[in-house]
Amino acid sequence: FTFATNSGDAGSIEDAIAAARDADVVIFFGGTDHTYDREALGWGDVPGADKPNLQLKGPQAELIRKIATVNPNIVVVLINGAPVSVEQWYKQIPAILEAWYGGMEAGEAIADVLFGEANPSGKLPCTFGKNLNDWLCHKLGTNSFPGTGNNGVVNYLDDIWVGYRWFDHAGIEPRFPFGFGLSYTTFKYGEMKLSAAKLAGDDTLNVSIPITNTGKRAGAEVAEL
């Protein structure tokens, strides 16, 4: 069953809920698209040059909540290019798969993960907060974002406290932290080792850590530092 995210009429929503009620499992593909989450020259001055908030586009959050009420066996697959809010529905959902914007084989890859043919090994490269003010650039006001408080000039006032650094520094618990990701198997991390080296005049810090698959399923692990 397909549902157009731009269509918020009651009939289409009720049709989707009816189809979900009779299904064994619901796989909900949602998120954003390139007309919604993009950056452009003139950002801060050009309407629509960046996404307006963290919410899913259109009535998707409402639809996910209603579907989960009639059928709790639901997997939400997110197709998006940046963090989105899951606050309105994540407690009702047993599984969320972050798929980002994929290439030609994205459908095959998603199916392999959903059906257990491949182990999900990716980890988040960014932090998912709970609301916009969790990020310092929004907390600092309009001079920082979107620049409308200073005649359209955006000041990068957050300095080094970008992304997860601010969350750690301010003691803010994110919804999903940098590096988060679940797996069908388990891994044991060994002792981390650091070594310094000079390569072509540059100081280089080498980091190594042994990782062992301790579960019953084959799978890769992605360690992010």
Side-chain angles (χ1 to χ4, degrees):
F1 185 88
T2 59
F3 172 78
T5 58
N6 289 327
S7 174
D9 61 275
S12 60
I13 291 178
E14 291 306 316
D15 288 343
I17 294 172
R21 183 181 286 110
D22 297 331
D24 294 327
V25 177
V26 176
I27 302 176
F28 185 99
F29 285 80
T32 58
D33 57 48
H34 288 306
T35 68
Y36 185 72
D37 63 348
R38 69 186 191 276
E39 295 183 356
L41 293 176
W43 174 79
D45 295 321
V46 180
D50 199 8
K51 66 179 186 177
N53 51 53
L54 289 176
Q55 306 307 315
L56 295 178
K57 188 177 181 181
Q60 293 180 83
E62 174 191 1
L63 182 57
I64 292 172
R65 291 199 309 269
K66 290 183 175 180
I67 288 178
T69 300
V70 301
N71 191 335
N73 298 320
I74 175 173
V75 178
V76 172
V77 180
L78 291 176
I79 309 295
N80 50 298
V84 294
S85 174
V86 302
E87 297 306 300
Q88 297 180 54
W89 47 267
Y90 82 96
K91 289 184 179 179
Q92 296 176 264
I93 308 301
I96 302 172
L97 176 62
E98 177 56 77
W100 303 112
Y101 290 135
M104 291 176 59
E105 294 299 312
E108 297 280 356
I110 291 170
D112 284 346
V113 170
L114 291 177
F115 285 94
E117 297 297 326
N119 179 67
S121 58
K123 300 294 187 289
L124 288 183
C126 55
T127 297
F128 279 51
K130 298 175 183 177
N131 58 72
L132 275 176
N133 278 343
D134 285 349
W135 284 270
L136 182 59
C137 60
H138 291 275
K139 188 178 181 66
L140 290 171
T142 57
N143 282 345
S144 177
F145 179 89
T148 54
N150 190 25
N151 296 320
V153 177
V154 177
N155 295 309
Y156 289 91
L157 304 176
D158 30 6
D159 196 41
I160 67 168
W161 306 114
V162 177
Y164 71 90
R165 294 174 181 170
W166 172 248
F167 283 78
D168 285 347
H169 179 74
I172 299 172
E173 182 183 0
R175 175 57 58 213
F176 300 116
F178 167 85
F180 180 83
L182 302 179
S183 173
Y184 293 149
T185 185
T186 56
F187 294 91
K188 178 182 178 181
Y189 279 62
E191 181 181 358
M192 179 185 295
K193 294 184 178 180
L194 308 178
S195 61
K198 271 195 175 293
L199 298 175
D202 295 327
D203 291 329
T204 302
L205 182 65
N206 296 312
V207 181
S208 62
I209 182 170
I211 300 175
T212 305
N213 185 341
T214 57
K216 297 180 179 180
R217 293 284 304 272
E221 175 73 340
V222 174
E224 295 183 347
L225 180 63

